Amino acid sequence: MVNTPAATNIRKVSKVEGLKERSNFLREPVASELLLDTTHFSEDAIQILKFHGSYQQDNRDNRVRGQEKDYQFMLRTRSPGGFIPPELYLTLDRLSDEYGNHTIRATTRQGFQLHGVLKKNLKATIAAIVRSMGSTLGACGDLNRNVMAPPAPFKNRPDYQYAWEYADNIADLLTPQTGAYYEIWLDGEKVISAEENPEVVAARQRNGNGTIIHDSPEPIYGTHYMPRKFKCAVTVPGDNSVDLFSQDVSLIVITDQGGELQGFNVYAGGGLGRTHGKEETFPRVADALGYVDKADIYDLVKAIVATQRDYGDRGDRRHARMKYLLEDWGVERFRTKVEEYLGKPIHPMKPTPEFQFLNFLDWHEQGDGKWFVGISIENGRVKDEGEFQLKTALREIVETYRLPMRLTPSQNVLLYDIAPADKDAIQQILDRCGIKRPDQIDSLVRDSMACPALPTCGLATTESERVMPSILARIRTLLDQVGLPDEHFIIRMTGCPNGCARPYLAELAFVGTGPGMYQVWVGASPNQDRLAKVYVEKMHVDALETTLEPVFAFFKNARHAGESFGDFCDRVSVEAIQTFAATYQPGDFATVLEEPASPSPSSTKVRRRVTVREDVYVLLQAAAVKQGKPMSHLATDAIAAYLKSLG
Ligand code: SRM
Ligand code: SF4
């Protein structure tokens, strides 16, 4: 039995710990304040309201000095694996018009958000979601958040089936057990959407060496819930559509040759949030923890939760995510503690293929004769605007064909279970409503993400979603000018350093630092298994072209054949790019460029520029790609050899 540190670990606890303790398991002060005829909740109630899946916000575009803020609420669904039944989608669509801002937003964790709901309409909105087989319970707050899983509805892939099944089960295992949610929003009526798996029910009660808090309405969480938000994903070998290295816990389904589930590889301690200027906060990729048999998976998850619950930092919320426990302890000590709660050793990881970024867009046969279609949604915003009528299209399709959907971790939507006979009609609706097919969308746009930021997010320091389209268009123009047409890489943007669009795992990212200002990050891998690094601390949005032109010119000049932008930046190093940019003159991309990162053996410190004719440049470029050498090396060697031949 693990000797839990409950009292010893809690030195001076943060204010939120007291609020959780006094909330009577998430009831107060929300329940009382909801009855008041006010536009907003108190600061204390706001913290507890988050556990119910709602954030108090104000429309920051409408702030007027001396006047009350334009208070409104954001609601977020808890949708494991991004599953949205047709009834729920149609309800969300209706609610967004009746009570919200007429848009629905697919999030980076496979949920939907409504924005702009007034306090007086909160109860009706949440009740309608729950009655349509949805939930917002635990979508925010210090507990397990929406569990992610690959969205592709492959019916002939047992590994994918297991990933969804276990995403659902882990979500159920870690759902808060308090009756507060149903009491407050549904007057006590407990609406059950699906029977819980009996194994999950049994696992929740089972006491593995101190994982359970006895006689508590919350056997897994206890009175104080988690020290901070907690995020899990379940995926299959090779599929990194869930950004598994950014999660507190990621489970990888391991099957035998016959497709039978054997167990799970487990990664732990990922997380992205940070604060500018505070070096002690940082993004972190998850460590490999080990492999467990399928029979132990729920106890393993409980053991990890108990470790973070009992040893996570409850004094400083900036240091409270589980990634800091992993960082401070090291993975060995963390694993030993988890094994104590589990009561048995964790085995070495099973070998798996490399993980890849997958977006599942466009039409695919799903393995049982039916089809799914992946629709790219710019920054996840489902709306009707001008000729672009996505909200209308989705409503019409779901209403007519009663199709379920899965939201993707890249803010997109997959409609599935489409009968072959309905395919053409559905594509016609999409075409009529101006919805572009994935190959008609610039690939930079298609695979990019931006967080909502202004005007709804209270933590935004600058724009994100609203400026991303113009930023991507400018980057495309620049790439064309530099001579990198059709180049594709992953670009993400956030309005502050919290990392909601997972920028630190993008090949190129912009992280808001203040009005119109961004930190620029480069060098994460195209498959999101390596973190990016800061290239420029502060870039004004107007300086986008002057900041990126040298980087793209260097990339064009010195990349290896087929090398992606992120891999290139990582290989040559941020410092080398900075050195290169320091002497770069605008327009230099049309000349033979120097490469300070890896000088040829014969080079000296003094470097000079030589301009060549365009046709020679094109030949040089082709030869450089073929030989996998920087053009500067090739040109130097060729000129040296020629001059030598002259005697
Ligand atoms: Fe986030 C806070 C939006 C995914 C890290 N996030 C917020 C809030 C609620 C702002 C607030 O606290 O007042 C944002 C609401 C904006 C709005 O107007 O809607 C917000 N986060 C989002 C969403 C909607 C962004 C999106 O573009 O889709 C995502 C909702 C996901 C969901 O369905 O649950 C969202 N947030 C993420 C992710 C990515 C992920 O989970 O895969 C991260 C980074 C991963 C991680 O957690 O480490 C993320 N959000 C944060 C943080 C920093 C946490 C930290 O460890 O420091 C905050 C601030 C906080 O918690 O104090 C935050
Ligand atoms: Fe808000 Fe920052 Fe998250 Fe963007 S990254 S939604 S600005 S908290």
Side-chain angles (χ1 to χ4, degrees):
M1 169 103 172
V2 174
N3 195 2
T4 57
T8 51
N9 185 36
I10 301 177
R11 309 174 309 271
K12 188 173 179 297
V13 295
S14 72
K15 183 172 175 256
V16 180
E17 295 300 317
L19 294 175
K20 288 185 271 187
E21 186 177 313
R22 290 191 296 278
S23 73
N24 185 16
F25 293 97
L26 308 182
R27 289 176 177 84
E28 293 298 343
V30 174
S32 309
E33 291 188 21
L34 187 65
L35 302 176
L36 303 178
D37 183 16
T38 52
T39 54
H40 58 284
F41 288 93
S42 67
E43 282 302 318
D44 290 358
I46 289 170
Q47 296 303 330
I48 301 303
L49 182 68
K50 292 181 187 177
F51 290 76
H52 296 254
S54 179
Y55 269 75
Q56 179 166 304
Q57 304 183 318
D58 71 286
N59 185 333
R60 294 177 60 180
D61 285 347
N62 294 347
R63 281 187 188 174
V64 179
R65 197 186 289 260
Q67 282 184 20
E68 187 183 274
K69 288 178 179 166
D70 181 5
Y71 288 111
Q72 42 177 261
F73 292 79
M74 175 269 274
L75 273 168
R76 186 183 285 170
T77 66
R78 167 192 176 275
S79 316
F83 173 66
I84 304 286
E87 304 75 7
L88 178 57
Y89 183 75
L90 294 174
T91 300
L92 290 169
D93 178 80
R94 174 177 63 78
L95 292 171
S96 71
D97 288 334
E98 216 167 301
Y99 300 129
N101 69 355
H102 306 277
T103 74
I104 317 172
R105 195 171 186 286
T107 75
T108 55
R109 283 197 78 77
Q110 302 179 279
F112 266 134
Q113 283 188 179
L114 296 177
H115 287 104
V117 179
L118 299 182
K119 179 170 176 266
K120 62 179 183 189
N121 298 324
L122 254 188
K123 188 169 175 174
T125 311
I126 295 181
I129 290 173
V130 177
R131 292 209 170 91
S132 305
M133 293 170 67
S135 178
T136 63
L137 173 59
C140 318
D142 294 345
L143 34 60
N144 183 46
R145 299 296 189 86
N146 196 34
V147 181
M148 288 166 67
F154 296 130
K155 297 292 170 71
N156 56 350
R157 288 278 304 264
D159 49 350
Y160 277 90
Q161 308 280 338
Y162 291 128
W164 308 323
E165 181 186 331
Y166 279 82
D168 282 346
N169 291 349
I170 302 296
D172 285 350
L173 178 72
L174 301 179
T175 294
Q177 298 299 295
T178 171
Y181 188 70
Y182 296 96
E183 284 167 31
I184 295 174
W185 309 108
L186 287 124
D187 300 322
E189 174 196 350
K190 179 131 201 225
V191 183
I192 306 278
S193 51
E195 273 299 301
E196 259 190 346
N197 181 324
E199 277 182 37
V200 172
V201 178
R204 199 184 292 121
Q205 319 290 333
R206 199 160 51 235
N207 192 10
N209 309 303
T211 52
I212 291 296
I213 293 157
H214 289 291
D215 305 322
S216 170
E218 293 286 10
I220 292 183
Y221 292 125
T223 319
H224 296 97
Y225 293 82
M226 298 299 275
R228 204 66 164 82
K229 55 178 70 165
F230 188 80
K231 299 184 171 178
C232 301
V234 187
T235 187
V236 309
D239 184 336
N240 194 21
S241 57
V242 298
D243 249 341
L244 73 102
F245 295 99
S246 70
Q247 313 280 341
D248 290 84
V249 179
S250 282
L251 307 178
I252 319 302
V253 166
I254 303 291
T255 53
D256 65 12
Q257 297 280 345
E260 269 302 306
L261 181 65
Q262 301 300 301
F264 296 85
N265 276 352
V266 182
Y267 290 84
L272 301 182
R274 50 179 280 280
T275 307
H276 288 308
K278 295 212 181 298
E279 294 297 312
E280 65 278 19
T281 65
F282 44 83
R284 186 176 193 277
V285 289
D287 290 301
L289 195 64
Y291 168 87
V292 291
D293 288 333
K294 66 176 177 192
D296 296 326
I297 192 60
Y298 300 125
D299 289 337
L300 184 274
V301 170
K302 276 169 58 193
I304 296 176
V305 167
T307 304
Q308 161 68 355
R309 179 195 67 201
D310 296 341
Y311 294 90
D313 189 340
R314 290 186 188 261
D316 177 3
R317 286 183 69 79
R318 280 195 211 282
H319 187 254
R321 291 294 295 274
M322 197 172 78
K323 64 180 174 180
Y324 296 115
L325 198 54
L326 264 291
E327 187 69 18
D328 295 345
W329 281 8
V331 66
E332 301 302 331
R333 180 175 166 199
F334 183 85
R335 185 185 297 112
T336 306
K337 183 55 71 183
V338 173
E339 285 172 338
E340 278 180 44
Y341 281 108
L342 180 63
K344 53 170 85 170
I346 296 171
H347 306 291
M349 300 283 269
K350 301 279 183 203
T352 53
E354 277 195 16
F355 285 100
Q356 288 190 334
F357 170 79
L358 300 169
N359 67 17
F360 305 112
L361 295 175
D362 218 348
W363 286 95
H364 304 265
E365 208 269 337
Q366 63 183 34
D368 60 355
K370 292 191 171 170
W371 290 75
F372 74 89
V373 60
I375 301 166
S376 172
I377 308 178
E378 197 163 4
N379 302 320
R381 188 68 72 175
V382 179
K383 61 182 174 187
D384 285 343
E385 197 175 74
E387 292 182 355
F388 173 81
Q389 298 282 310
L390 180 61
K391 194 152 181 282
T392 298
L394 289 181
R395 186 191 319 118
E396 190 176 330
I397 294 170
V398 176
E399 239 164 28
T400 314
Y401 301 97
R402 292 275 143 193
L403 298 177
M405 60 172 74
R406 279 195 188 265
L407 305 178
T408 83
S410 312
Q411 304 171 321
N412 297 322
V413 156
L414 309 186
L415 291 164
Y416 67 103
D417 279 351
I418 299 173
D422 298 333
K423 243 186 103 191
D424 287 349
I426 289 174
Q427 185 58 53
Q428 273 167 24
I429 297 175
L430 293 170
D431 291 342
R432 171 162 48 78
C433 292
I435 312 308
K436 290 190 184 147
R437 293 178 186 215
D439 61 356
Q440 298 168 325
I441 302 172
D442 183 341
S443 60
L444 293 182
V445 177
R446 198 189 56 207
D447 289 330
S448 69
M449 294 202 287
C451 72
L454 295 170
T456 52
C457 178
L459 304 179
T461 61
T462 187
E463 298 282 350
S464 181
E465 180 184 332
R466 295 196 292 198
V467 295
M468 188 60 153
S470 66
I471 296 283
L472 294 176
R474 286 165 65 187
I475 291 178
R476 175 55 73 204
T477 305
L478 183 62
L479 286 168
D480 287 346
Q481 279 166 1
V482 172
L484 291 165
D486 304 325
E487 195 60 43
H488 168 245
F489 44 88
I490 307 279
I491 306 178
R492 296 176 178 174
M493 175 181 256
T494 54
C496 86
N498 280 318
C500 297
R502 299 189 290 271
Y504 311 114
L505 284 162
E507 292 178 89
L508 172 63
F510 304 96
V511 175
T513 58
M517 303 292 294
Y518 298 88
Q519 202 174 39
V520 182
W521 291 64
V522 297
S525 89
N527 293 316
Q528 288 89 48
D529 54 7
R530 178 186 65 230
L531 288 173
K533 296 195 176 76
V534 179
Y535 170 59
V536 170
E537 281 295 345
K538 279 190 178 151
M539 175 198 82
H540 192 274
V541 69
D542 293 346
L544 182 81
E545 284 80 2
T546 45
T547 306
L548 292 182
E549 187 184 312
V551 190
F552 292 158
F554 191 14
F555 172 51
K556 179 187 158 190
N557 185 44
R559 79 194 294 187
H560 288 165
E563 190 174 38
S564 72
F565 179 68
D567 285 347
F568 165 79
C569 294
D570 183 62
R571 176 175 62 77
V572 300
S573 84
V574 161
E575 294 72 26
I577 305 173
Q578 285 163 341
T579 309
F580 180 88
T583 55
Y584 181 89
Q585 297 297 320
D588 268 1
F589 54 81
T591 64
V592 175
L593 295 165
E594 326 244 336
E595 192 203 354
S598 48
S600 71
S602 58
S603 74
T604 63
K605 286 219 155 147
V606 181
R607 293 167 151 260
R608 308 213 183 273
R609 293 169 195 278
V610 179
T611 306
V612 294
R613 274 200 328 262
E614 182 63 17
D615 56 330
V616 176
Y617 179 78
V618 171
L619 289 172
L620 187 62
Q621 188 185 36
V625 170
K626 202 164 162 194
Q627 296 193 22
K629 283 187 184 170
M631 282 194 290
S632 54
H633 294 187
L634 217 61
T636 308
D637 292 348
I639 296 169
Y642 174 71
L643 293 176
K644 214 169 162 188
S645 76
L646 294 180

